[in-house]
Amino acid sequence: MSFLHIAIIAPFLFALIIPFFYKKISSVHTGWFVLVLPTVLFVYLLTFIPTIADGEVVTHLLSWVPSLGINFNIHLDGLALLFALLITGIGVLVVLYSVFYLDKDKESLHNFYFYLMMFMGAMLGVVLSGNLMVLYVFWELTSLSSALLIGYWYERKKSRYGALKSMLITVSGGFAMLAGFSLLYVMTGTFTITEIIAQVDVVTSSSLFIPTMLLVLFGAFTKSAQFPFHIWLPDAMEAPTPVSAYLHSATMVKAGIYLVARLSPVFSGSSEWFWLVSGFGLFTLLWGSFNAVRQTDLKSILAYSTISQLGMIMSMLGVGSAAAFYGYKAGFTAATVAAVFHLINHSTFKGSLFMVAGIVDHETGTRDIRKLGGLMTFMPITFTISIIGAFSMAGVYPFNGFLSKEMFLESMLHATDITSFNMQSLGVLFPVIAWVASVFTFVYSMILVFKTFRGNYQPEELEKKPHEAPVGMLIPPIILASLVVLFGFFPNILSHTIIEPAVKAIYPVSLTGVEHFDIHIKAWHGFNFPPLYMTISIIAVGVLMYLTLTKWQKIYAFLRLHKKDPINYFYDGIVNRIAPIAKKITKVPETGLLRDYLAYMYVFFIVLVGYTLFHFGGFAIDTNNVAEIPIYAWVLVAIIALSAILVPFITNRVIAIIATSFVGFLVALLFVMFRAPDLALTQLLVETVTTALFLLCFYHLPELRKEKTKPVFKWTNLFISIGVGALVTTMALSSLALGNKKPFESIADYFLKNSHDLGGGDNVVNVILVDFRGMDTMFEILVLGIAGLGIVSLIKLKMNGKEDL
Amino acid sequence: MEILIAVLIGVLFSVATYLLLTKSLLRVVLGTVLLSHGAHLLILTMGGLGLGSAPLLGEEASKYSDPLPQALILTAIVISFGMTALLLVLTYRTYKAHQTDDLDQLRGRLDE
């Protein structure tokens, strides 16, 4: 147990006392108390920067379930530190923002902060775990807390829909990931990430390599909202805005990115990984940016923008994975550097933009851009922040998004340099898609700012008179926006402290001997630099498209994209139809009729036992050792069989009883024949009492009717019953034959020898019943007693307070 | 002899199964009675029907029939008697409560 373990567990423990703050100190907004913890954690994590920048990895071991290889190990390297700093840092800002965003009197804050702290702890656990199983546990906790936060306003139908959707999608991905992790364990015998990376040869040569990769990627793609699993993210916007800013832009949706980056050393170098990661990433980038333009809700624009940007980071990780194929030579690693850098940038500008959207919503009462407009004069600070955020997102100089966008374009251009994976022919698509998606990114970024803050002011559409937000609400986005500018002008303050260790973690440096990545991010590369011209053309085309927006926006209606994302039709179809279909399928076998269920049982009995008997050659008839049949036995057996067969055909109830009893009395005769006097006696007595009982009951029961069943059922029943009888006979004969083939000494001799001396009786059957095996008899008496009590209570039972029936 | 009894057991099982698959509750109870006869005979037959003397030591015979299956069947007879009695009263009660002994009508509502 180290301080880092405590850092992960602390939010969970802290969550437990939040309701106490809320109930006992209700005069102060609970958020102020909560603010302490992320701040402490952030400062604590900052102290690791020098250690990690020196290339060290902080590990702490803690046994949890050592017998299963599941240990709560901490593995803090550059990648983990980057994420941990994002989680805690943005966590501080989000908590501060939420203090002003959520009303202390109207909202159930204890729920909100409980879930938020739970999420923070879970997310820290995901990024700091060195063990895949522990990572999975925390991964599911993030899914759970995210669903709880999306459904925070649970009285709204849309919130519940969004929460359910995100839960279903991310948890199904989580399960797939669990299967992938289990396969990794099967291959390597360990859940520890570093040990798996050390056995990368075992994994890549295994036949399970592709399934494992697919399962792990399924988990990562669902979490990081990659196409076609992105549909939960726009619906997750029903969450309070601080949650959207925190979970659904900066942290949780990057868990999939983290997983891909973390397991890159295991999987990268194969063409499948390259194509899946970069292919899905690029398509998500294009799809997200294309769909963001048609949105009219500020948060929906931001949601699709997040999807798009996550796709962009994913594609860069995919292209970067080619480096593994070339032995981690410099030049191919640039894409990964760009991915890490853009990951940081995206968290800063997207966080600030969400907070801006929240402010606009908070101060005007709507997020619909068709109602908004002309807010610039009312909210100058918010406007400035959103300008910075949106221009950074669009990739305009001098903000940090410009730098990472250029690095992205450059790495996509260099993707054509990759000479493997069919990239000579298909590689040209990469920069084309990147360019098109960047144009759309530029357009929606402009929509976001200018439709909200410029244009016509429509006071009649707004619920409130807009004014600038309170200072506390502005501080967090101001800090994020300043970071956008700061990283824009001085990108290299991060390169050695944060980015380089993170890139090192993605590339297994220890394997290749490369000690140092020379990361130097600069804004100006000279005129002989193709991405510069791409950026210029993006801005030029983007401006043109923004100005002609109304003219070409009809394309969405033409493509039938104007209502909802088409993938939603699949999701809604599955979710809405699965219950009726399951009901229909269940209705087929579950008829509610006893005889149907009996028929299933008999059919299964016949099929299973019959198959086993004949498949393993168990059937045999052995006529040796068989007693002779006296002539009267023939007669007796024939009479029993005949009277039994008659029973179903009798329609007179008394005759049916008599026929059944007749069988019973004749069975007693058989017992006499087989030298079983006690049996014969009991059988006679029991049969007499049973017959009397039947007659008593039948007096109160209706006449037997002729069975009115369809011939189909009749024949099926006949077939089944003959099958059962034949099978029982076959089994009996086979077991007799088996008994002759492999005879075992019966224990009867023991009873016969010792009955007199040990049991003190000559009637061996009775001695067995009360002496050798007295326990059977005791419980048999108990059975009779219980049956008697049951009968009494059934007869005496009064139903519905009425008189006895 | 054993083969003959085995066939008889088969007949008893067939008839019992057929009765269990019918609609009338009374026939179902009769089916269980016949089924228990079949099962008792099966136990006895599987012990072997080498016809010795009854397992009474006073007989002083050279060969006795196997006492253990007899003890088992005796237990089984009593238990099946208890079950039959309970089942009969249950049938009576069901008929009183629902005014039918038709198993097709004795079923849960479709909307349950």
Side-chain angles (χ1 to χ4, degrees):
Chain A
M1 186 70 95
S2 67
F3 276 115
L4 278 168
H5 284 106
I6 295 167
I8 296 174
I9 297 164
F12 292 104
L13 297 177
F14 195 75
L16 293 177
I17 56 167
I18 285 171
F20 171 78
F21 285 128
Y22 179 70
K23 296 280 179 197
K24 294 287 169 192
I25 315 173
S26 51
S27 55
V28 184
H29 196 288
T30 316
W32 291 115
F33 299 109
V34 178
L35 192 59
V36 176
L37 186 74
T39 316
V40 169
L41 290 179
F42 182 64
V43 172
Y44 173 62
L45 285 165
L46 280 178
T47 61
F48 284 97
I49 289 182
T51 325
I52 302 298
D54 286 345
E56 284 177 43
V57 174
V58 182
T59 52
H60 294 286
L61 305 180
L62 178 69
S63 290
W64 186 15
V65 195
S67 55
L68 297 175
I70 299 170
N71 295 305
F72 190 3
N73 293 343
I74 298 283
H75 180 88
L76 180 68
D77 58 6
L79 190 65
L81 183 66
L82 163 63
F83 273 89
L85 285 173
L86 281 179
I87 292 158
T88 49
I90 298 184
V92 173
L93 299 177
V94 161
V95 171
L96 181 63
Y97 178 79
S98 69
V99 169
F100 295 93
Y101 186 83
L102 293 172
D103 193 289
K104 128 174 115 64
D105 301 317
K106 288 179 196 156
E107 304 285 354
S108 37
L109 293 174
H110 52 313
N111 290 350
F112 181 80
Y113 288 112
F114 189 99
Y115 303 153
L116 200 70
M117 283 299 106
M118 185 174 148
F119 169 77
M120 187 183 280
M123 201 62 211
L124 280 176
V126 167
V127 298
L128 293 177
S129 292
N131 188 293
L132 286 180
M133 271 301 135
V134 178
L135 190 151
Y136 170 74
V137 170
F138 285 118
W139 182 279
E140 294 295 33
L141 275 173
T142 63
S143 295
L144 177 66
S145 48
S146 165
L148 287 169
L149 282 166
I150 296 168
Y152 172 67
W153 287 309
Y154 52 82
E155 66 280 358
R156 298 183 190 171
K157 196 174 174 230
K158 275 186 154 182
S159 295
R160 299 196 299 271
Y161 174 79
L164 181 67
K165 196 176 196 176
S166 80
M167 188 82 179
L168 283 176
I169 293 176
T170 54
V171 169
S172 60
F175 279 147
M177 201 180 80
L178 177 65
F181 289 171
S182 308
L183 287 180
L184 277 177
Y185 183 80
V186 168
M187 285 184 265
T188 60
T190 177
F191 282 126
T192 311
I193 296 170
T194 44
E195 287 174 24
I196 291 173
I197 292 172
Q199 297 185 55
V200 60
D201 299 338
V202 180
V203 179
T204 36
S205 59
S206 167
S207 58
L208 294 172
F209 179 69
I210 299 292
T212 311
M213 179 199 288
L214 290 176
L215 288 166
V216 169
L217 276 184
F218 186 63
F221 283 175
T222 49
K223 197 77 161 184
S224 278
Q226 298 295 297
F227 187 88
F229 312 112
H230 64 281
I231 48 168
W232 66 269
L233 192 61
D235 285 304
M237 292 302 130
E238 292 303 321
T241 303
V243 173
S244 310
Y246 189 36
L247 273 69
H248 307 128
S249 72
T251 52
M252 188 181 86
V253 286
K254 294 206 171 90
I257 305 270
Y258 170 79
L259 190 74
V260 168
R262 176 56 82 207
L263 293 178
S264 272
V266 182
F267 295 110
S268 62
S270 69
S271 61
E272 291 88 355
W273 178 266
F274 174 85
W275 275 109
L276 282 170
V277 178
S278 53
F280 273 93
L282 276 174
F283 193 76
T284 311
L285 164 67
L286 188 62
W287 186 259
S289 60
F290 182 62
N291 277 286
V293 177
R294 75 179 163 88
Q295 305 297 326
T296 53
D297 180 280
L298 281 180
K299 277 175 89 176
S300 294
I301 299 176
L302 288 171
Y304 275 101
S305 141
T306 304
I307 291 167
S308 157
Q309 303 279 320
L310 288 169
M312 178 173 157
I313 298 171
M314 200 64 101
S315 68
M316 287 191 269
L317 282 175
V319 172
S321 78
F325 189 79
Y326 294 101
Y328 299 104
K329 282 196 194 97
F332 294 104
T333 56
T336 310
V337 177
V340 173
F341 188 45
H342 192 69
L343 186 95
I344 303 167
N345 295 344
H346 178 248
S347 300
T348 54
F349 67 69
K350 193 51 67 65
S352 70
L353 283 174
F354 265 108
M355 289 173 183
V356 164
I359 290 170
V360 170
D361 188 13
H362 206 263
E363 303 308 331
T364 63
T366 182
R367 297 195 309 254
D368 194 329
I369 53 168
R370 288 167 301 190
K371 295 180 185 171
L372 294 168
L375 296 179
M376 194 174 82
T377 47
F378 299 99
M379 310 165 122
I381 302 171
T382 319
F383 174 61
T384 315
I385 299 164
S386 71
I387 282 275
I388 293 169
F391 276 81
S392 176
M393 184 156 75
V396 177
Y397 185 78
F399 308 112
N400 59 4
F402 168 76
L403 301 167
S404 46
K405 184 61 76 68
E406 273 210 328
M407 289 162 79
F408 165 66
L409 293 171
E410 189 188 5
S411 61
M412 289 300 135
L413 281 171
H414 278 298
T416 43
D417 295 351
I418 299 168
T419 50
S420 52
F421 314 142
N422 286 328
M423 277 300 282
Q424 297 98 320
S425 48
L426 293 165
V428 70
L429 279 175
F430 281 51
V432 171
I433 294 174
W435 186 86
V436 174
S438 299
V439 170
F440 281 110
T441 306
F442 186 86
V443 174
Y444 71 69
S445 302
M446 295 308 109
I447 291 175
L448 198 67
V449 185
F450 291 115
K451 296 269 179 193
T452 312
F453 293 99
R454 295 295 303 274
N456 300 324
Y457 172 52
Q458 301 158 281
E460 69 283 355
E461 295 275 10
L462 303 178
E463 292 169 20
K464 303 173 188 171
K465 175 112 179 74
H467 55 82
E468 190 56 271
V471 182
M473 215 165 175
L474 286 170
I475 289 172
I478 287 173
I479 292 172
L480 286 172
S482 340
L483 286 176
V484 169
V485 178
L486 181 71
F487 295 159
F489 283 111
F490 308 102
N492 288 313
I493 53 171
L494 291 176
S495 56
H496 291 291
T497 47
I498 302 283
I499 299 175
E500 193 188 309
V503 174
K504 264 187 188 172
I506 300 172
Y507 294 122
V509 195
S510 54
L511 297 179
T512 56
V514 181
E515 284 302 324
H516 195 70
F517 291 98
D518 191 24
I519 295 167
H520 189 69
I521 300 162
K522 53 185 178 179
W524 181 247
H525 299 262
F527 287 107
N528 193 13
F529 185 65
L532 176 68
Y533 301 103
M534 280 177 89
T535 310
I536 292 170
S537 62
I538 286 164
I539 294 174
V541 177
V543 169
L544 196 70
M545 281 179 76
Y546 175 71
L547 294 175
T548 56
L549 197 59
T550 44
K551 287 184 182 134
W552 60 271
Q553 242 183 351
K554 292 183 191 91
I555 192 171
Y556 290 104
F558 177 71
L559 291 172
R560 299 188 179 283
L561 284 171
H562 52 298
K563 275 190 191 134
K564 60 178 180 178
D565 200 313
I567 311 298
N568 277 317
Y569 292 109
F570 286 101
Y571 171 82
D572 291 335
I574 290 169
V575 169
N576 294 336
R577 269 180 225 149
I578 204 153
I581 290 172
K583 209 172 180 180
K584 257 183 211 161
I585 293 172
T586 320
K587 279 257 167 87
V588 173
E590 291 193 2
T591 54
L593 296 175
L594 180 67
R595 52 202 181 109
D596 284 343
Y597 304 147
L598 276 176
Y600 304 149
M601 289 181 208
Y602 284 127
V603 168
F604 271 95
F605 167 71
I606 294 169
V607 170
L608 284 181
V609 178
Y611 173 78
T612 315
L613 197 64
F614 289 99
H615 182 74
F616 295 103
F619 177 67
I621 294 180
D622 190 354
T623 46
N624 299 325
N625 252 340
V626 167
E628 271 182 57
I629 311 172
I631 189 77
Y632 58 87
W634 279 108
V635 176
L636 189 59
V637 166
I639 296 173
I640 297 176
L642 265 177
S643 42
I645 288 167
L646 277 178
V647 173
F649 299 101
I650 299 167
T651 45
N652 184 305
R653 53 184 176 170
V654 180
I655 298 176
I657 303 163
I658 302 293
T660 315
S661 310
F662 191 59
V663 173
F665 288 118
L666 292 183
V667 168
L669 255 176
L670 268 185
F671 288 150
V672 172
M673 206 174 88
F674 296 137
R675 310 290 191 274
D678 297 296
L679 283 189
L681 196 64
T682 319
Q683 178 71 28
L684 278 174
L685 280 171
V686 162
E687 206 52 50
T688 314
V689 179
T690 311
T691 312
L693 260 174
F694 265 108
L695 289 171
L696 264 175
C697 265
F698 269 41
Y699 180 73
H700 296 281
L701 292 175
E703 269 293 344
L704 280 177
R705 295 169 312 280
K706 208 164 179 213
E707 286 274 308
K708 277 183 214 149
T709 25
K710 287 181 193 160
V712 182
F713 287 115
K714 222 166 205 173
W715 284 107
T716 320
N717 289 354
L718 191 69
F719 188 73
I720 289 172
S721 37
I722 288 174
V724 168
L727 193 62
V728 170
T729 306
T730 318
M731 275 165 59
L733 293 175
S734 303
S735 53
L736 277 172
L738 191 72
N740 285 339
K741 207 162 53 179
K742 291 182 184 168
F744 287 97
E745 207 53 47
S746 165
I747 55 167
D749 288 341
Y750 171 83
F751 293 124
L752 291 167
K753 258 182 210 154
N754 294 309
S755 175
H756 183 78
D757 298 338
L758 294 181
D762 287 344
N763 186 337
V764 186
V765 175
N766 288 6
V767 172
I768 290 174
L769 281 175
V770 298
D771 192 320
F772 290 122
R773 297 180 59 87
M775 193 73 101
D776 291 359
T777 312
M778 189 175 89
F779 287 111
E780 162 201 338
I781 293 167
L782 194 66
V783 168
L784 263 192
I786 291 170
L789 284 176
I791 290 166
V792 169
S793 47
L794 272 177
I795 291 175
K796 293 277 177 195
L797 176 74
K798 286 187 172 65
M799 283 174 93
N800 310 328
K802 276 184 276 179
E803 276 304 294
D804 193 13
L805 289 165
Chain B
M1 190 76 193
E2 282 88 344
I3 294 171
L4 182 68
I5 301 297
V7 173
L8 176 66
I9 292 163
V11 170
L12 284 173
F13 266 83
S14 288
V15 174
T17 309
Y18 189 84
L19 286 170
L20 286 171
L21 289 170
T22 52
K23 280 200 268 186
S24 161
L25 205 47
L26 313 176
R27 286 199 173 93
V28 171
V29 182
L30 289 179
T32 60
V33 171
L34 289 181
L35 195 66
S36 52
H37 289 327
H40 299 157
L41 282 178
L42 187 62
I43 300 174
L44 196 68
T45 317
M46 291 300 101
L49 298 172
L51 296 170
S53 181
L56 301 168
L57 295 179
E59 301 259 304
E60 309 249 325
S62 59
K63 193 182 165 214
Y64 294 103
S65 55
D66 196 334
L68 190 60
Q70 296 192 13
L72 295 180
I73 296 166
L74 202 65
T75 314
I77 288 175
V78 175
I79 289 174
S80 61
F81 166 67
M83 290 315 297
T84 308
L86 188 69
L87 212 57
L88 267 174
V89 177
L90 208 57
T91 310
Y92 159 74
R93 190 75 203 194
T94 308
Y95 178 64
K96 286 287 167 194
H98 299 284
Q99 295 304 319
T100 179
D101 71 329
D102 189 337
L103 277 172
D104 281 9
Q105 288 167 29
L106 289 170
R107 54 185 289 179
R109 276 178 219 97
L110 280 174
D111 55 349
E112 264 177 45

